[in-house]
Amino acid sequence: MTEITKLPGSIERFVLHWGEMGGFWGVNRSVAQIHAFLMTAERPMTAEDIATALEMARSNVSNSLKELSNWNLIRRVPVRGDRRDHFEAESDVWEVASRIAAGRKAKEIDPALETLRQCVAEAENDPNVHPVALKRLREMLEFTETIDRWYGQITTVARPKLMALLKLGARIATLIPGGR
């Protein structure tokens, strides 16, 4: 792990852990570490501040800031008396999760849907495709379309109701006929 200096131990652990988790989400470790650092910063930070605190190359920080901006997870903010760019992270955890989910959907679910639709259409017209393979492709398409519809619907639920649903956990199944 990259050692981070000049940060309180708990913040350093969080930054390092968030960086490790970024790899599981398909995000570069540096990008995730910078995001964590900015989420816990008490004030907007310059790229130089970030590079120094995280002991990263300035070019790496610049590229990572661009990626975070593309994900809409950070923003430039003006600081009176300083012409340099300063950055701050979105501080609303729900908003962060929502933006990450939207980005993941765009990068993973949408392309998967497009590919599955093409595969099913081609397989339906190909006499060399076994009926079992076609059935499984259709099932995967149906599942992925269901996830896509669920995502579209869940994004319209008001935050307090969404929190209540999340807190219900598996107990929500008791409200569904046949559920336990």
Side-chain angles (χ1 to χ4, degrees):
M1 281 197 217
T2 306
E3 186 174 331
I4 299 173
T5 58
K6 303 175 191 162
L7 295 177
S10 58
I11 302 303
E12 180 177 344
R13 277 191 302 282
F14 173 68
V15 169
L16 292 173
H17 180 70
W18 201 251
E20 294 296 319
M21 290 176 55
F24 298 119
W25 303 330
V27 176
N28 177 297
R29 179 182 309 189
S30 297
V31 171
Q33 286 181 349
I34 291 169
H35 183 237
F37 178 68
L38 288 173
M39 283 194 316
T40 57
E42 66 274 2
R43 62 180 172 77
M45 307 295 270
T46 66
E48 293 81 15
D49 296 334
I50 296 165
T52 300
L54 300 182
E55 298 179 348
M56 289 182 185
R58 177 66 170 77
S59 59
N60 188 8
V61 171
S62 292
N63 290 332
S64 297
L65 290 171
K66 286 177 191 169
E67 187 169 343
L68 287 166
S69 291
N70 290 340
W71 279 81
N72 202 23
L73 293 172
I74 65 167
R75 61 189 154 269
R76 280 189 177 95
V77 293
V79 172
R80 187 176 183 182
D82 193 340
R83 294 173 45 183
R84 297 175 296 169
D85 287 334
H86 289 72
F87 301 90
E88 68 181 7
E90 172 61 55
S91 60
D92 183 320
V93 176
W94 281 93
E95 195 59 39
V96 169
S98 177
R99 291 174 187 179
I100 290 171
R104 298 288 305 264
K105 179 188 175 305
K107 287 185 173 191
E108 297 169 26
I109 301 297
D110 294 348
L113 271 174
E114 183 179 332
T115 300
L116 284 166
R117 287 177 179 138
Q118 290 172 356
C119 290
V120 167
E122 289 173 23
E124 287 174 337
N125 295 316
D126 187 343
N128 295 318
V129 174
H130 194 279
V132 171
L134 179 57
K135 177 182 181 282
R136 291 181 182 158
L137 283 173
R138 286 178 177 151
E139 289 170 349
M140 180 58 74
L141 175 59
E142 180 183 3
F143 173 79
T144 308
E145 287 174 335
T146 300
I147 294 295
D148 187 56
R149 275 191 307 277
W150 175 86
Y151 174 81
Q153 292 168 4
I154 207 73
T155 59
T156 66
V157 176
R159 206 178 275 179
K161 286 188 177 188
L162 187 56
M163 180 59 104
L165 283 170
L166 290 173
K167 286 182 177 180
L168 278 173
R171 292 177 292 165
I172 193 75
T174 62
L175 303 175
I176 301 169
R180 288 184 177 203

